[in-house]
Amino acid sequence: MQPLNAPGRRSALLPSYWFNLPLSLVLLASGLGGCTAAVDSNGRPRNTGTGPNSPPIAADPNNPNPQGTGGTGPSPTATTTGPLPPGACAPDASLANARIWRLTDPEYVNVVRQVFGVSINPEVSSAQSSVENLNLADSAGVNAANATNYQTSARIAAGQMVQNLASLMPCGTATPDTACVEQFVRTSVARAYRRPLADAEVTDLLALYTLGLADSPSVGVRLILETVLQSANFVWRTEIGEGATSPAVGTKVTLTPFEVASAVSFFLQGSAPDDSLWAKAQDGSLLTAGVLSQEVDRLLAQPEVRTNLTADAAIWLGLGRLKARPKDAALFPEFTPAASDALLKSGEAFLGETMWNGQFTDFFSSKKIFLNQELAALYGVPGVTGSQLVPVDVTTAERSAGLLSQPAVLAAHASPSESDVVHRGLFVFRSLVCGATIPKPAANAVREALAALPADSTQKEFANFRAQNPSCQGCHSQFDPFGLAQERYDALGRFQQTDAKGQPIDDTSTIISMGQGIDGPVAGTTELAARLSTARRVADCAVTNLSTIALGQDTKQDMSCALRTVQDSFATSGSFPELFRSLLASPGFATRDVK
Amino acid sequence: MNSHRSDFNRRRFLQFAGLSVLGTSVLSSLIARAQAGAPKRLLLAARPHGSIATEFFPQGGSATSFQLPSITSPFEPVKSEMLLFNNLTNPRQEGWAGEHDVGIFAMTTGREGQSIGDGAVGTGVSIDQLLAQSSPLLNGTLKRSVQLAASPESGPGGARHAGLRVISYAGGGITGAMDPETRPDVALTNLFAGVSTGGASGNDAAQARARQLNRAVLDQLVLDASRLKAKVPISQQSKLDEQLSALADLTRQNDTVVTSTAGCSTPTLAPLPGGSAEHAAQSRAMFQLIKGAFVCDLTRVVSFTFAPEQSSMSFNDIIPNEVKNPDGHHDISHASDTGERGAIDKFYCSLFAELLVEMKNTPDGAGTSLLDNTVVAFVTGINDGNGHGMDNMPVAMFGGKSLGLAQGKIVDAGGRTMNDVWTSVSQAFGVSGNFGDPALVKGPLSGVLV
């Protein structure tokens, strides 16, 4: 067994999808509609809409969950049939649906290296597929092109593996006999399939070996490997339970210990279960809550796992937009490719520091920024030398808003040439408060709106136009205020006092529709961050986003009490390790609803 | 089972598209003409960022006597096989969001797509996939269709908008997007591995044995997928149906022996040079594969993308005499100076003309050329890189004489959509009915077919 190493599990380019794909999928399912208020008349997210499933109620220091929906007691429950009353949750609902989930190409590569000790070309199912990396369970299939590429990859990989049969096969340098090959199948292939093989499956693979053996033992083993690496048993993760037949719609299945092990390992490690998880799946102990929690804790302590989860947070927060939407090189020659690369790493370093050495509230109050000499010069921070990023506690007020004053975050959601009220606003609206689905405006409507103002109008002037234009204001009034509060930062996230016309920047706005604790006039990023840091809705939204990545399924409409419990726990603890532990050890994680 | 599945897919495609295979209808003579002689093919090709109308469309002249301006001048050698359109619209309804991505999606599927940030998805089926599944003229080859692209694996314009390389859609949302192969060597292996050198040589015996072993692998893969399908929820079975369908295709390809003939041989590809010469070399390698696959009748349907619709490829090294600006294609396409963006579109036209001339010079059947027997559509997602409009689309078609496509003329589309052109093309391939969004199609466009 090879040591696990999962480089490149997540792609920094993901955020452009992350921001758009779930929205698009919702639009596909429901048809384009206009903007609706994110909350009902009582300030609660609409249960039938796309808001988060917990009430957007500001935390009271003495009662962090004013509705009594968590913290010290269980959430109110309801049956899973029929509409749920406001604030209620479904007690029996699983955290995800029963499904099969295709390995991403990085996962495929990792499993091959982990189980067979061979590094293969990263383009497995397609040449740089643009779709699979999102990694929702239903976002990737095996079409004709994928199948052809799997065939090519499997042939190349199997050819590599049989170059050194002695290290591959359990019988070492001896010519493999049937017993040796069977042992290989029952051990190595089982690890590749992430479950023991049925006897019939073993027999099938041995028959392939026999067929190839007429040419040579190497050919026989190669046939097994070519088959395994293209098999549905390999390319699909299963979360369907033990049953031998298709489970009935409306029922619930309990995952096998091996499926639980895979669900944990692919989320945390981007690969198949390691030796410890495998052993506990084999003896069945993994299904006991204590053992599963211990395993999750063991994994959460691993630097590689923390790196993976930090990358997940970077996806959630859209840092990849730094690369996907590069800055105008003519306007910002000082923002070199090296500075751009360093800024992305700076953002990731902030997330890592906050997630693993801090609390969720640090997301909105930390003054720490990771800088090297080039970035420090760019952002006007003295005293930093060298090319390595180092943590700096910046004392100026404009860098005291945690995430919202991180140069990486501000730059990621700005336009290539200037600040960006719309996209910075959408970032907060979608990623931090889980606002309702906003349909994209028609291209012609955007053009008409832009044509109504001079081309050199400031962001504030455009925002004022949208606020007064009936065809714009319905949607923009929900997220523009968040962007306006960040107006004092330019396209690179540098603090600025005046706009392009030399006028003092007005960063005041009024937030609406987000509920008590968030709504109301706000002035500047620091004030916005302070308000978000105390809103229960924001903590719930963090859980919603990270659980969507963990579960491969959009949880914005998840009404399960299982997810509510995770949210309750996170709202109390503010601890990211606790969030992941409570999610993976939840009873709802070990079952799947059949839909 | 395989034939049942094919029938099912074909029926589903036809039902979805509102099309039907022509029987003994008024157009049966079209089929008879098309079925005669050499195989018939479809090549759907795309380049990014539209063009510049005054340099793409003839300025003056008549519908049959015109002079090609700067950008389209490289097509002069195939002008007599060329079909241009005046006032042809990319299908679009007021209120559709998105531009580049939704534009190229609408161009090939005739329907609305949803932006996913780096591409578009939707339920639309692209014209190449529709005809690959439903035309009686395009069935029976080793591969039902092939998707290729010439954009590099990384760097500006490659990685950034990879999703926009997709122009072929099999329907069904994200999983229907058919990512093109960008590696010429891999595409070569995938296409030509089954081409026999002929005769009873030892090499052929080795190939036969390889096919036998691979068939055993494929049979096991079908068994594995079938077993899994029996255990998954109904909602998940379509995923395995798709995989089983793909495996059926691979099995058919494995079992089909294509004997090399005087005209058919496996292309020899030169190593890609890297650097500024890479893009053109990669395009030419793909041209070799397209021509070779058609001549050997390995497939009759190919889609090819030069670069993603929102490509940011830099051209100041590729065509340094014409483009000095180091910005990417997308940025240049928005520049008010039309000289450099015109030069880039002309670069693509020049490259594509090389393939067309090669096809014109390749005999194919009695007295016809490969170009005569191939309908070639050269499309893009927007009309102009700067304006992003959807009217007066700079689309050109070539060849297809044996299928009844009009030659050497300009058709006045009068504002009608590309769906009407595709409807005409569908008829040429023996498939009737309107293509695309019913609200955006009127029927065959007069003048496309003779």
Side-chain angles (χ1 to χ4, degrees):
Chain A
M1 197 63 53
Q2 296 297 306
L4 182 67
N5 182 15
R9 171 181 171 228
R10 272 86 170 181
S11 162
L13 291 175
L14 287 178
S16 63
Y17 294 103
W18 183 248
F19 268 69
N20 292 290
L21 187 55
L23 167 66
S24 302
L25 291 175
V26 170
L27 293 179
L28 281 174
S30 61
L32 283 166
C35 285
T36 55
V39 293
D40 62 20
S41 58
N42 296 317
R44 298 189 179 98
R46 295 175 187 279
N47 273 352
T48 55
T50 52
N53 56 16
S54 290
I57 294 175
D60 176 338
N62 300 313
N63 179 10
N65 208 329
Q67 278 204 327
T69 56
T72 56
S75 303
T77 60
T79 61
T80 54
T81 56
L84 294 170
C89 60
D92 297 326
S94 305
L95 280 167
N97 298 332
R99 71 276 177 95
I100 55 175
W101 186 351
R102 209 199 77 183
L103 300 193
T104 64
D105 283 358
E107 288 171 344
Y108 185 110
V109 170
N110 286 341
V111 177
V112 169
R113 182 173 49 240
Q114 181 188 353
V115 175
F116 299 112
V118 170
S119 294
I120 62 172
N121 189 315
E123 293 161 327
V124 178
S125 66
S126 67
Q128 203 180 44
S129 167
S130 58
V131 171
E132 67 173 8
N133 288 334
L134 182 66
N135 201 17
L136 293 180
D138 287 331
S139 66
V142 183
N143 63 25
N146 301 139
T148 300
N149 285 321
Y150 276 137
Q151 185 179 63
T152 303
S153 298
R155 283 174 177 166
I156 294 170
Q160 279 180 259
M161 292 175 195
V162 298
Q163 301 254 321
N164 191 351
L165 269 188
S167 68
L168 184 71
M169 304 301 288
C171 44
T173 54
T175 301
D177 57 13
T178 302
C180 172
V181 176
E182 180 170 347
Q183 188 184 350
F184 171 72
V185 169
R186 290 192 185 276
T187 54
S188 295
V189 174
R191 296 298 290 270
Y193 284 0
R194 288 91 60 189
R195 60 167 176 79
L197 278 73
D199 288 343
E201 293 174 317
V202 175
T203 302
D204 290 343
L205 292 177
L206 290 178
L208 279 173
Y209 175 73
T210 303
L211 178 66
L213 186 60
D215 293 7
S216 71
S218 173
V219 171
V221 174
R222 181 171 59 79
L223 287 188
I224 290 176
L225 290 167
E226 276 189 32
T227 304
V228 168
L229 295 177
Q230 301 175 71
S231 172
N233 299 319
F234 182 74
V235 302
W236 295 102
R237 296 161 54 183
T238 66
E239 295 179 357
I240 56 177
E242 194 77 67
T245 57
S246 177
V249 174
T251 61
K252 183 161 73 173
V253 296
T254 299
L255 298 184
T256 70
F258 295 100
E259 289 176 333
V260 171
S262 279
V264 170
S265 70
F266 278 100
F267 172 48
L268 297 183
Q269 299 176 291
S271 191
D274 63 11
D275 289 348
S276 179
L277 270 177
W278 180 254
K280 291 172 177 60
Q282 280 186 308
D283 67 20
S285 62
L286 192 63
L287 292 189
T288 59
V291 173
L292 181 55
S293 290
Q294 286 170 11
E295 281 299 296
V296 171
D297 283 343
R298 175 181 65 82
L299 292 167
L300 286 175
Q302 294 181 357
E304 307 83 33
V305 170
R306 292 186 170 195
T307 298
N308 283 339
L309 296 176
T310 303
D312 286 340
I315 292 169
W316 156 37
L317 298 166
L319 289 189
R321 287 174 61 101
L322 277 172
K323 294 295 178 190
R325 205 166 178 228
K327 301 305 174 190
D328 187 325
L331 283 176
F332 305 110
E334 68 275 32
F335 194 60
T336 63
S340 173
D341 291 344
L343 190 60
L344 178 58
K345 289 187 173 70
S346 166
E348 291 170 342
F350 171 79
L351 295 181
E353 171 71 13
T354 309
M355 291 172 69
W356 305 110
N357 298 319
Q359 291 281 307
F360 185 53
T361 50
D362 296 332
F363 260 39
F364 303 101
S365 60
S366 172
K367 298 176 179 177
K368 193 164 288 180
I369 302 177
F370 287 78
L371 299 168
N372 61 13
Q373 185 170 339
E374 185 175 15
L375 290 181
L378 194 60
Y379 293 99
V381 177
V384 179
T385 58
S387 60
Q388 295 299 310
L389 293 171
V390 294
V392 179
D393 281 314
V394 182
T395 55
T396 51
E398 64 264 23
R399 298 295 178 192
S400 61
L403 197 63
L404 294 184
S405 56
Q406 283 293 310
V409 174
L410 289 160
H413 299 286
S415 89
S417 59
E418 59 180 337
S419 66
D420 192 331
V421 167
V422 170
H423 289 96
R424 282 179 177 161
L426 282 171
F427 157 62
V428 175
F429 184 77
R430 288 173 173 161
S431 298
L432 299 183
V433 301
C434 288
T437 299
I438 298 285
K440 273 198 166 186
N444 54 311
V446 173
R447 270 196 292 272
E448 287 165 13
L450 290 174
L453 288 180
D456 65 348
S457 300
T458 64
Q459 288 278 316
K460 180 77 174 181
E461 287 165 342
F462 276 116
N464 286 342
F465 173 83
R466 291 191 294 270
Q468 291 157 14
N469 186 324
S471 64
C472 305
Q473 64 183 196
C475 294
H476 281 274
S477 64
Q478 296 186 44
F479 54 85
D480 275 6
F482 295 121
L484 285 166
Q486 302 173 69
E487 256 300 88
R488 287 187 188 268
Y489 300 87
D490 73 1
L492 302 185
R494 295 180 297 197
F495 189 72
Q496 55 185 4
Q497 295 282 11
T498 56
D499 63 22
K501 293 181 177 176
Q503 300 299 312
I505 291 173
D506 175 8
D507 60 0
T508 61
S509 63
T510 300
I511 300 168
I512 62 169
S513 300
M514 295 298 109
Q516 184 186 348
I518 301 180
D519 286 353
V522 64
T525 299
T526 304
E527 194 172 318
L528 173 62
R531 196 172 300 178
L532 295 178
S533 72
T534 59
R536 169 66 190 262
R537 179 187 184 113
V538 178
D540 287 353
C541 183
V543 174
T544 297
N545 279 290
L546 289 170
S547 64
T548 293
I549 296 174
L551 300 166
Q553 185 172 311
D554 189 350
T555 61
K556 278 189 177 178
Q557 300 190 60
D558 187 322
M559 301 304 295
S560 70
C561 292
L563 187 66
R564 180 73 61 84
T565 300
V566 177
Q567 289 173 323
D568 289 347
S569 168
F570 184 63
T572 302
S573 72
S575 159
F576 283 94
E578 175 56 29
L579 188 166
F580 297 122
R581 185 186 303 111
S582 62
L583 180 71
L584 300 181
S586 164
F589 186 76
T591 62
R592 294 290 182 265
D593 295 333
V594 182
K595 292 184 177 173
Chain B
M1 188 181 72
N2 297 346
S3 61
H4 287 309
R5 186 174 312 286
S6 296
D7 288 347
F8 168 77
N9 285 339
R10 187 174 161 199
R11 279 197 304 273
R12 190 179 62 173
F13 266 69
L14 295 173
Q15 184 180 32
F16 182 82
L19 301 178
S20 61
V21 178
L22 291 171
T24 55
S25 70
V26 291
L27 293 172
S28 59
S29 61
L30 257 180
I31 300 181
R33 178 175 62 184
Q35 283 177 327
K40 305 302 179 289
R41 297 92 166 183
L42 173 68
L43 170 59
L44 175 64
R47 88 278 189 198
H49 296 306
S51 191
I52 299 166
T54 53
E55 297 174 39
F56 184 89
F57 297 107
Q59 304 294 301
S62 68
T64 54
S65 175
F66 51 85
Q67 191 166 1
L68 294 172
S70 171
I71 289 176
T72 41
S73 62
F75 294 129
E76 193 64 36
V78 288
K79 183 179 167 186
S80 59
E81 289 87 3
M82 186 180 193
L83 188 60
L84 284 165
F85 302 90
N86 269 339
N87 204 7
L88 178 68
T89 304
N90 199 3
R92 189 176 185 86
Q93 292 188 33
E94 281 293 310
W96 286 10
E99 305 208 348
H100 287 277
D101 46 5
V102 173
I104 192 65
F105 186 87
M107 172 57 64
T108 65
T109 69
R111 290 178 183 267
E112 180 182 15
Q114 303 290 345
S115 299
I116 58 170
D118 199 10
V121 297
T123 55
V125 178
S126 58
I127 183 67
D128 60 314
Q129 292 306 296
L130 179 80
L131 294 181
Q133 291 285 343
S134 57
S135 169
L137 302 177
L138 299 173
N139 286 339
T141 54
L142 194 62
K143 286 188 176 291
R144 204 178 300 279
S145 69
V146 171
Q147 295 77 42
L148 302 170
S151 55
E153 290 306 300
S154 59
R160 190 172 154 206
H161 294 295
L164 287 161
R165 287 193 299 229
V166 177
I167 60 172
S168 294
Y169 295 88
I174 294 172
T175 60
M178 302 183 76
D179 279 299
E181 179 56 69
T182 60
R183 299 162 291 182
D185 55 338
V186 173
L188 177 77
T189 302
N190 291 342
L191 265 170
F192 290 88
V195 176
S196 163
T197 53
S201 66
N203 190 34
D204 263 14
Q207 284 189 346
R209 174 64 174 165
R211 277 194 297 276
Q212 180 193 16
L213 297 180
N214 191 47
R215 176 58 192 262
V217 169
L218 287 164
D219 287 347
Q220 186 61 45
L221 296 177
V222 169
L223 187 58
D224 287 352
S226 301
R227 282 174 175 158
L228 182 57
K229 183 186 168 188
K231 295 195 286 187
V232 302
I234 290 172
S235 65
Q236 303 294 296
Q237 290 178 353
S238 61
K239 294 178 180 176
L240 292 160
D241 280 337
E242 183 185 39
Q243 186 171 10
L244 284 163
S245 178
L247 290 170
D249 279 355
L250 288 180
T251 302
R252 188 167 46 79
Q253 292 160 29
N254 181 73
D255 295 351
T256 305
V257 179
V258 179
T259 302
S260 170
T261 64
C264 164
S265 61
T266 301
T268 303
L269 300 181
L272 292 178
S276 61
E278 179 90 349
H279 190 37
Q282 195 176 7
S283 301
R284 292 185 177 111
M286 293 303 185
F287 294 166
Q288 281 184 269
L289 299 178
I290 293 168
K291 180 197 163 192
F294 280 160
V295 168
C296 293
D297 204 22
L298 303 175
T299 188
R300 296 181 186 178
V301 178
V302 175
S303 71
F304 169 74
T305 320
F306 273 111
E309 172 54 40
Q310 205 163 326
S311 168
S312 291
M313 193 177 300
S314 297
F315 277 80
N316 60 321
D317 288 333
I318 297 176
I319 44 175
N321 292 333
E322 287 85 8
V323 176
K324 308 294 184 192
N325 188 339
D327 289 349
H329 190 181
H330 180 250
D331 287 344
I332 287 178
S333 77
H334 279 287
S336 55
D337 172 14
T338 58
E340 293 197 333
R341 57 189 173 112
I344 297 173
D345 200 33
K346 186 173 181 179
F347 166 83
Y348 282 128
C349 289
S350 298
L351 267 179
F352 198 56
E354 292 179 19
L355 172 63
L356 297 171
V357 170
E358 182 74 16
M359 291 173 72
K360 180 176 180 175
N361 294 335
T362 301
D364 186 51
T368 55
S369 72
L370 183 57
L371 188 57
D372 290 334
N373 294 318
T374 307
V375 171
V376 181
F378 191 46
V379 304
T380 185
I382 54 178
N383 65 1
D384 179 296
N386 196 30
H388 288 196
M390 297 293 166
D391 58 343
N392 207 25
M393 292 298 293
V395 167
M397 302 189 76
F398 301 89
K401 183 178 180 181
S402 306
L403 287 133
L405 208 72
Q407 308 277 293
K409 63 182 279 193
I410 301 171
V411 171
D412 186 359
R416 288 171 64 177
T417 72
M418 191 68 194
N419 286 348
D420 293 344
V421 176
W422 293 138
T423 299
S424 297
V425 169
S426 299
Q427 283 195 347
F429 282 101
V431 177
S432 70
N434 289 341
F435 178 85
D437 186 332
L440 296 170
V441 59
K442 293 181 177 175
L445 180 62
S446 176
V448 173
L449 301 180
V450 294

